[in-house]
Each structure stands twice: as C-alpha cells, then as structure tokens.
Amino acid sequence: MTDRMNHLTAMLGIDQPIVLGPFGGLSSVELTAAVSELGGLGSFGLYGYDAGRIAEAASAIRASTSRPFNLNVWLPLTDPEADAPLPRSDYDDAVEALRPFFDEVGVPVPTEPPAQYLPSFDEQWDAVLEARPAVASFVFGVPAEGVVESARARGIRLVGTATSVDEAVALEESGVDAIVATGMEAGGHRVSFLRRPERALVGSISLIPQVVDAVGVPVIAAGGIADRRGVAAAFALGAAGVQVGTAFLRTRQSAANDAHRAAIGATAAHDTVLTRAMSGRLARGAANRFIREIEQGGVIAPFPVQNWMTGKFRVEAIRQGRADLQSLWMGQSAPLAVHDEVRDVFEELAAGIPD
C-alpha cells in the first residue's frame, strides 16, 4: 500500500483502507461489525437516534466485534430553510399533499406536528462521547471547537464529509483527522453545507484529486465506487481510502428490506434521481411513483418536516413490500452492486487496492 493508505489505516486502526458508508436509518449492527471484522472500518449512522438508542447500538456493535468502528452524526443544519419554524398553514398543505399515500397504506395522517422532530445534536454527541468509538464522523457541516476538543480528550478520531473543495478546506481547519470527499454519484443525502447542494454537484473524478491537492489530511473517496475498478480509480486520483455505500447496502447483512435490495439490483444509473420529495433535503435514489407524483404536485415541506411526515407511511409501505412508496436510496453505480454477502463485497473492493 502507498504511504497515504498506510497513514490512514494506522490512524484508524484498520487493516484495509475500506470504510462502510454510514446509512442514516439503514445501518445494522451485523453489517457494521462484519466490515470491521474483515479489516475495514464499519460505520453506523445515528440519524434520529436518542441517547438511549446510541448507547444500545454501540454496545451491540462492541459485543459483535473488538475492532474499531465509526459512529456517524448529522451536525445541526444551518440553512435558513431548516432553521425557520414551518408556518402551520405550510404544515397543513404538506399533510394534504401526502394524504393520498397515507390513505393508500391505511395509516392515519399526522394532523399535529411533534414537539421535536429530532433529538438534539448535543444529546447525541454526549452519547457518542460516552460510547467512545474509535472514530466519529460528521455530515452537513464543520464540528465546533468544543466538539473537536471533547473527541481529542477521549482519543476519538474525527472524519468530516465534503462535497466541494472549500468544504474540505473548512473541515481541515477545524481539526478533523480525515475527510470524505463525496461525489455527486453517491446515494442518499447530498451533505453540502457551504451552499445549496444543487450548486455543489461535483463528480468524484473531479472532486477527489482537487480535494487531495487542497488539504493535508488523508482523503477518503466516496461516490460511484462499487467494485475493484472504482477502488483502483480512487487511489489513482490520490485518495488514501474509499467509502462504499450502495454495494454494501445490497447485502443481506444491511437493514435494507427486500424491495429496496431488489431495486438496487434493477435500477440503471440514469434511473436514479436527485430529489427533495422524500425528505425535504436533496438526496439520490431510485425514481418511483411517490417521487414523481410529489414533484409534480410541487408541495414539499423542508427538512426535517417532510422526512418525519413521509416516515409515518414509509414504515407501513415497507411492511407491505411497496417499493413505489419507499425511499430507495442508492448511488449511480447501483448496477455494479451484484453481491449479496458482505464478505464478497469486501473482497471485491480489496482487489482494487494497489500493492
């Protein structure tokens, strides 16, 4: 392995420079532990988890592996849309736009908003510090000085996520140990924070080398990597490691349901879309009937309201095996995600690591 890769693996305490993408809502203890056991860095997304659930997840991962793992948290969103309280009339309009889908799966519409849509970052971060993972990673921003210092005091390595060169520079200045450079091909939410994500759609082949040139910390490439060819390309562009999501999400060890796994296997690259319909934040997934009808209607609440609302019927849609009403997050390399077992995915990726 190159000096860059050796530095990253030594810093994170792993054998291979392969990182499991953290899935907000789709992480599983089994998959996280399996990737760590195979010598990579297993990751677990904590989106929506309160302190109790974070403690339980960390404990379960530790019971399954003694190797390093990563806990991922969303930093508080700073865009004006997310910060402003949603007027009641807008809430009611969004509910009415979604009513047909609630009726279709037989779930009552949420006529009243909750007191709190998500646990606070402070609650989550305190629980992460208590769990003391080897690595904590962030999306949607730059960790505050106090966050960085509290992690340092506990020996926790920090990884930030950037969708542009200026975001990567800001993350390095904050003191993170490594940066994930995630291209627009990646599945799930676009985690831009210095500008609207629609204005930060840089592909991996352009983003990775520019970030490598701009920062001094190790860069982990993400977006469009699903087999040995993507891994080899990432390292040729200067990356020190790779982060892979969709290929691992396809495996039986992930928390994806059967309809979601089938969609990954059946969706062409050009049939993934970037949309705000499901969550109110721009995200990449397979186009389905829900996305088409909501976008056509034009009424979409901002995040996290839209995500909370659609989550109320998505649970039942999953139970009913309804792929047309789920959030089918996946990247543009979904057709390359062909393995059902985590070990097979890991071995395929490892085959692309240069000697």
Side-chain angles (χ1 to χ4, degrees), residues 24-328:
L26 290 171
S27 289
S28 76
V29 169
E30 184 180 6
L31 180 57
T32 301
V35 171
S36 290
E37 281 291 294
L38 288 165
L41 183 67
S43 302
F44 194 99
L46 299 176
Y47 174 80
Y49 276 47
D50 61 18
R53 290 185 70 193
I54 291 173
E56 290 173 3
S59 178
I61 296 168
R62 278 214 171 83
S64 301
T65 181
S66 59
R67 302 302 302 272
F69 63 88
N70 164 43
L71 295 180
N72 174 266
V73 290
W74 290 32
L75 288 163
L77 302 176
T78 57
D79 54 314
E81 279 187 15
D83 289 342
L86 186 69
R88 182 57 196 246
S89 60
D90 290 350
Y91 178 92
D92 292 340
D93 288 346
V95 166
E96 286 307 308
L98 295 173
R99 184 180 292 276
F101 306 104
F102 282 95
D103 292 344
E104 195 169 333
V105 298
V107 173
V109 297
T111 55
E112 295 296 325
Q116 185 179 23
Y117 287 102
L118 291 167
S120 71
F121 172 79
D122 289 342
E123 176 187 352
Q124 289 192 308
W125 184 242
D126 285 345
V128 170
L129 293 175
E130 185 69 23
R132 213 162 184 161
V135 181
S137 65
F138 304 101
V139 290
F140 287 113
V142 174
E145 183 178 353
V147 170
V148 175
E149 291 176 351
S150 62
R152 290 276 180 272
R154 290 162 179 78
I156 301 171
R157 295 291 189 176
L158 298 179
V159 177
T161 310
T163 65
S164 64
V165 171
D166 50 349
E167 289 178 352
V169 170
L171 284 164
E172 182 181 34
E173 290 174 349
S174 76
V176 300
D177 298 292
I179 295 169
V180 175
T182 179
M184 64 174 287
E185 302 94 333
H189 286 90
R190 300 302 301 146
V191 294
S192 306
F193 57 89
L194 289 182
R195 58 183 60 82
R196 284 178 65 86
E198 288 89 347
R199 296 187 55 231
L201 297 177
V202 183
S204 296
I205 200 167
S206 294
L207 180 66
I208 295 162
Q210 292 183 60
V211 171
V212 169
D213 289 349
V215 301
V217 297
V219 174
I220 301 167
I225 301 169
D227 62 15
R228 68 185 70 190
R229 294 169 293 181
V231 172
F235 288 121
L237 295 171
V242 295
Q243 179 173 287
V244 177
T246 305
F248 283 120
L249 191 61
R250 167 80 187 269
T251 67
R252 66 172 185 84
Q253 289 85 5
S254 85
N257 60 78
D258 289 343
H260 194 163
R261 290 192 184 92
I264 291 173
T267 302
H270 60 268
D271 285 330
T272 67
V273 294
L274 286 165
T275 181
R276 291 178 178 265
M278 194 65 73
S279 72
R281 295 282 299 185
L282 195 68
R284 182 178 297 282
N288 60 10
R289 180 170 66 90
F290 171 81
I291 290 173
R292 288 189 291 270
E293 292 185 9
I294 286 299
E295 288 187 341
Q296 185 176 5
V299 178
I300 301 173
F303 179 90
V305 182
Q306 184 79 357
N307 200 48
W308 178 82
M309 286 182 177
T310 64
K312 294 297 182 182
F313 70 74
R314 281 187 277 128
V315 171
E316 180 60 22
I318 290 170
R319 193 190 70 80
Q320 296 179 13
R322 297 283 302 274
D324 58 332
L325 299 181
Q326 294 182 37
S327 50
L328 302 172

